[in-house]
Amino acid sequence: MFTRSLLIKLTLLISVQFFVDVNMHAQAKKPAYAIVIHGGAGVITRQNLSPEREKMYILALDSAVSIGEKILANGGTSLEAVEKTIRFMEDSPLFNAGRGAVFTNEGKNELDASIMMGSGEMAGSVAGLTNVKNPISAAIAVMTKTSHVMLAGKGAEKFCAEAGLEIVDPSYFYTEARYNALQKALKDESDNPDKKRGTVGCVALDQFGHIVAGTSTGGMTNKKFGRVGDAPIIGAGTYANDASCGVSCTGHGEFFIRHTVARNVAAMMEYAGKSCQEAASYIIHEELKKVKGEGGLIALDKDGNVVMEFNSEGMYRAYAKPGEKVIKIFND
Amino acid sequence: MFTRSLLIKLTLLISVQFFVDVNMHAQAKKPAYAIVIHGGAGVITRQNLSPEREKMYILALDSAVSIGEKILANGGTSLEAVEKTIRFMEDSPLFNAGRGAVFTNEGKNELDASIMMGSGEMAGSVAGLTNVKNPISAAIAVMTKTSHVMLAGKGAEKFCAEAGLEIVDPSYFYTEARYNALQKALKDESDNPDKKRGTVGCVALDQFGHIVAGTSTGGMTNKKFGRVGDAPIIGAGTYANDASCGVSCTGHGEFFIRHTVARNVAAMMEYAGKSCQEAASYIIHEELKKVKGEGGLIALDKDGNVVMEFNSEGMYRAYAKPGEKVIKIFND
């Protein structure tokens, strides 16, 4: 009996090895991994971004994408890469997420984030956090430690504290630039809210073939009444499916919710046979542009093809694959 | 000048009349209107529903669907039909929405609702309301009176008060049966949360060819931490597009969010050429059943075809078209 059991085990081992070999061979032309990030889309032009600020953003985008790239290159998971990359951007006051988030009408910072894994369709989301240092980690905790997808407000904060997430005083999120932006918005009746947005996002494909997408934001300057944008909405701001793609959006959130943008990219690939690039281009430049829905998205398909599309004047963005790194801001 | 102006007006009038005639002729085979409702899906069997309760539900479903039907038959809009129908179900203590909503872990009632119009892709949503009598009307107010789609928590309540919606004392939502259900859930560790859900929803197609879908819920008995289900999520619990269909879902919300169920029905029609029935059947009986995602949905396509699918043991449901009314509870 012992020999027979051993034989079965050996046969299984050889079968698995064979499967792995065949599988690796079939994927030979794909990059081993890929990562793409955004730091918000909007009125970002050479005219309104000084060379000094431009350098700061380039440096921050480079640092962020490199964090995730290193994890992926070392065989880490796309979930870890997305979390660590977004945490860096949340901690940077340059981006409208975490520290540096924009202010609500009441002079508070309210943070939203979401995450989705392409395998097993697991997802997590938080909305309206005021004291959790890294909302993306809160979204991941909702996904991994509860049976729920979305938690909001005071209840979500209570969960975060119990789950051991880092809690900070709301003043941690304060930055002078964002506070001044609120003061200007409150004064200026003709203020265009379109200019006061931003979000960070990351999509990663790891060496196991798994895609993860995440998004984190402070929302809209001067937002009122507990407004929730697309960032914490699975299917709107964030979506991932290993069979098609992972997507993270940024822009005028209301349009991204109504058009279920992130899910729509995947649906056009899944059901209409479009490529990720074709689907994204159509949605951003045709569908959303028609209704003046400003913004953009980043995406990765299952083969590691990178998409970075936007219909605004600029989008902070970067991607990395083995032997390739691109960092861009303007529309060129 | 007067005669020329009159001539232009007359020409315009005739053109409009001609357009209306042609349009009505083209739609001759469609029903003039259609409406479908649900009052929640779950463990609803003849064994656990007494004949007296069954009669009460049949009567309530009949009254609800008749309210919307009358509006549509008289040439009213699908938006009005959905609002009035859902308000009736919110006001009835029989359903888990508005009065009669289930209790959270903290012994409160927290209400969510959403609405979407198939024309112009307008949408509105509220989450975590504790003192607004009719959440569906709050969702409509968000859609029609703000530039936003989703408002949550205290901020949403502030908006509702300013918008003139009827505010009630939180005790209004209390019903003994739901409170006892919470006490039982709190005591019973082995309590299956799947049995403590429910939602109401309505999809209507009016004589103008416009589809509107709406959903309203008290969520899950014993819910914690500001949990948000699929009901207020556009694309998950509610979706509408005049070009394809309108959908309202009910069931274990987390699965409906991860699978973007309402949007997915429309996407399969739009991109894969499926009928509304085919898309709904696949998603409910294949995709969701595989992951044990219990629940169901109601839908109407642009031709007024009615869909009522569920993978649970029962779903309170009804529909009406000219000369046709069906009311059902069990799986037969």
Side-chain angles (χ1 to χ4, degrees):
Chain A
M1 281 307 271
F2 175 75
T3 10
R4 182 187 265 183
S5 155
L6 197 71
L7 197 71
I8 291 171
K9 276 183 190 161
L10 268 172
T11 316
L12 270 172
L13 201 68
I14 292 163
S15 311
V16 168
Q17 192 53 47
F18 176 75
F19 177 77
V20 169
D21 288 344
V22 167
N23 219 33
M24 285 184 72
H25 182 73
Q27 297 183 354
K29 282 178 188 173
K30 299 179 191 175
Y33 62 82
I35 180 166
V36 58
I37 64 172
H38 70 73
V43 186
I44 308 163
T45 63
R46 285 203 168 77
Q47 285 71 52
N48 62 19
L49 194 70
S50 70
E52 293 73 32
R53 298 271 298 165
E54 184 184 334
K55 262 185 224 161
M56 287 167 70
Y57 275 103
I58 293 285
L59 193 66
L61 290 166
D62 193 354
S63 301
V65 80
S66 300
I67 289 168
E69 190 195 8
K70 200 173 162 189
I71 291 165
L72 297 169
N74 288 335
T77 65
S78 44
L79 181 60
E80 191 191 348
V82 169
E83 181 178 20
K84 297 277 168 66
T85 301
I86 291 185
R87 282 178 71 105
F88 175 87
M89 296 172 90
E90 285 176 339
D91 292 346
S92 162
L94 288 175
F95 303 105
N96 176 18
R99 186 164 156 73
V102 299
F103 281 81
T104 67
N105 178 265
E106 292 177 323
K108 295 199 295 181
N109 304 104
E110 282 181 3
L111 312 170
D112 306 331
S114 66
I115 189 105
M116 187 162 187
M117 296 178 72
S119 57
E121 291 155 338
M122 293 298 292
S125 153
V126 285
L129 300 183
T130 62
N131 66 0
V132 180
K133 188 177 173 230
N134 290 107
I136 192 68
S137 298
I140 292 172
V142 172
M143 174 173 73
T144 56
K145 297 181 178 180
T146 81
S147 60
H148 301 312
V149 171
M150 187 174 193
L151 302 181
K154 291 293 159 210
E157 291 179 353
K158 197 177 159 199
F159 161 76
C160 291
E162 288 185 19
L165 289 157
E166 191 171 352
I167 304 298
V168 292
D169 188 88
S171 65
Y172 164 82
F173 300 106
Y174 174 92
T175 59
E176 203 178 333
R178 302 298 191 185
Y179 189 74
N180 291 342
L182 170 66
Q183 299 314 314
K184 194 174 173 302
L186 288 173
K187 267 187 214 157
D188 187 1
E189 290 252 339
S190 67
D191 176 62
N192 180 357
D194 287 34
K195 292 177 186 171
K196 306 292 182 297
R197 284 190 309 264
T199 301
V200 308
C202 178
V203 186
L205 169 71
D206 62 26
Q207 298 189 38
F208 309 100
H210 295 319
I211 302 173
V212 169
T215 310
S216 180
T217 189
M220 195 180 262
T221 291
N222 198 17
K223 69 182 175 187
K224 273 192 203 180
F225 300 133
R227 177 255 186 189
V228 178
D230 64 321
I233 306 293
I234 299 301
T238 304
Y239 189 77
N241 188 335
D242 281 359
S244 52
C245 64
V247 183
S248 169
C249 301
T250 172
H252 198 149
E254 277 71 12
F255 292 95
F256 285 72
I257 298 178
R258 292 180 195 121
H259 289 257
T260 62
V261 172
R263 176 62 178 113
N264 206 11
V265 174
M268 288 182 79
M269 293 177 68
E270 197 177 333
Y271 303 131
K274 300 289 179 196
S275 72
C276 193
Q277 181 62 58
E278 287 168 345
S281 295
Y282 173 79
I283 293 164
I284 294 296
H285 299 294
E286 305 285 326
E287 202 178 292
L288 285 179
K289 206 161 187 177
K290 209 160 55 185
V291 292
K292 295 187 180 165
E294 199 196 43
L297 64 83
I298 53 166
L300 280 181
D301 70 13
K302 62 187 167 64
D303 299 321
N305 293 306
V306 173
V307 170
M308 306 189 293
E309 284 299 325
F310 54 99
N311 60 29
S312 50
E313 290 174 72
M315 180 167 81
Y316 301 111
R317 62 203 188 276
Y319 74 84
K321 293 182 190 189
E324 191 178 350
K325 179 158 40 175
V326 171
I327 303 162
K328 285 188 167 190
I329 295 179
F330 306 113
N331 190 4
D332 52 28
Chain B
M1 282 305 275
F2 175 75
T3 10
R4 181 188 266 184
S5 157
L6 197 68
L7 198 66
I8 291 171
K9 276 184 191 162
L10 268 173
T11 316
L12 270 172
L13 200 67
I14 292 163
S15 309
V16 168
Q17 192 52 49
F18 175 74
F19 177 75
V20 169
D21 288 345
V22 166
N23 220 31
M24 284 183 74
H25 182 73
Q27 297 181 351
K29 282 179 188 172
K30 298 178 193 178
Y33 62 82
I35 181 168
V36 57
I37 64 172
H38 69 74
V43 186
I44 308 162
T45 62
R46 286 203 167 79
Q47 283 72 49
N48 61 20
L49 195 70
S50 68
E52 292 72 33
R53 299 270 298 166
E54 184 184 334
K55 260 184 224 161
M56 288 167 71
Y57 275 103
I58 293 285
L59 193 66
L61 290 166
D62 191 356
S63 302
V65 80
S66 300
I67 289 168
E69 190 194 8
K70 198 172 165 191
I71 291 165
L72 296 168
N74 288 337
T77 66
S78 43
L79 181 61
E80 190 191 350
V82 168
E83 181 178 19
K84 297 278 168 65
T85 301
I86 291 186
R87 282 177 72 104
F88 175 86
M89 296 174 91
E90 286 176 340
D91 292 346
S92 161
L94 289 176
F95 303 106
N96 176 18
R99 185 164 156 74
V102 299
F103 282 81
T104 68
N105 178 264
E106 292 177 322
K108 296 199 295 182
N109 303 104
E110 281 181 6
L111 312 170
D112 306 330
S114 66
I115 189 104
M116 187 163 187
M117 296 179 71
S119 58
E121 291 154 338
M122 294 298 292
S125 153
V126 285
L129 300 182
T130 63
N131 66 0
V132 180
K133 186 175 175 233
N134 290 107
I136 193 67
S137 298
I140 291 170
V142 172
M143 174 173 75
T144 55
K145 297 182 180 180
T146 81
S147 60
H148 301 312
V149 172
M150 188 174 190
L151 303 181
K154 292 291 157 211
E157 290 178 352
K158 197 177 159 197
F159 161 76
C160 290
E162 287 184 21
L165 288 157
E166 189 172 353
I167 305 298
V168 293
D169 186 88
S171 64
Y172 164 81
F173 299 107
Y174 174 93
T175 58
E176 204 179 335
R178 301 298 190 185
Y179 189 73
N180 291 343
L182 170 65
Q183 299 315 312
K184 194 173 172 303
L186 289 173
K187 267 188 214 157
D188 188 1
E189 290 252 336
S190 67
D191 178 62
N192 179 358
D194 288 31
K195 294 178 184 169
K196 308 292 182 295
R197 285 190 309 265
T199 302
V200 308
C202 177
V203 185
L205 168 72
D206 62 27
Q207 298 189 40
F208 309 100
H210 296 319
I211 302 173
V212 169
T215 310
S216 180
T217 189
M220 195 181 263
T221 291
N222 198 17
K223 70 182 175 187
K224 273 192 202 179
F225 300 133
R227 177 254 185 189
V228 178
D230 64 320
I233 307 293
I234 299 300
T238 304
Y239 189 77
N241 188 335
D242 280 359
S244 51
C245 64
V247 183
S248 169
C249 300
T250 171
H252 197 149
E254 277 71 12
F255 292 95
F256 284 72
I257 297 177
R258 293 182 194 120
H259 289 257
T260 62
V261 171
R263 175 62 178 111
N264 206 12
V265 174
M268 288 182 79
M269 292 177 68
E270 199 176 331
Y271 303 132
K274 300 289 178 195
S275 73
C276 193
Q277 181 63 57
E278 286 167 344
S281 295
Y282 174 79
I283 293 163
I284 295 296
H285 298 294
E286 305 284 328
E287 203 178 293
L288 285 178
K289 205 160 189 181
K290 208 159 55 185
V291 293
K292 295 186 181 165
E294 200 197 44
L297 64 81
I298 53 166
L300 279 181
D301 70 14
K302 62 187 167 62
D303 298 321
N305 292 306
V306 173
V307 171
M308 308 189 292
E309 284 299 324
F310 54 99
N311 60 28
S312 49
E313 291 173 71
M315 180 166 83
Y316 301 111
R317 60 202 189 277
Y319 75 83
K321 294 180 187 190
E324 191 179 349
K325 181 160 35 176
V326 170
I327 304 162
K328 284 187 169 193
I329 296 180
F330 307 111
N331 190 6
D332 52 28

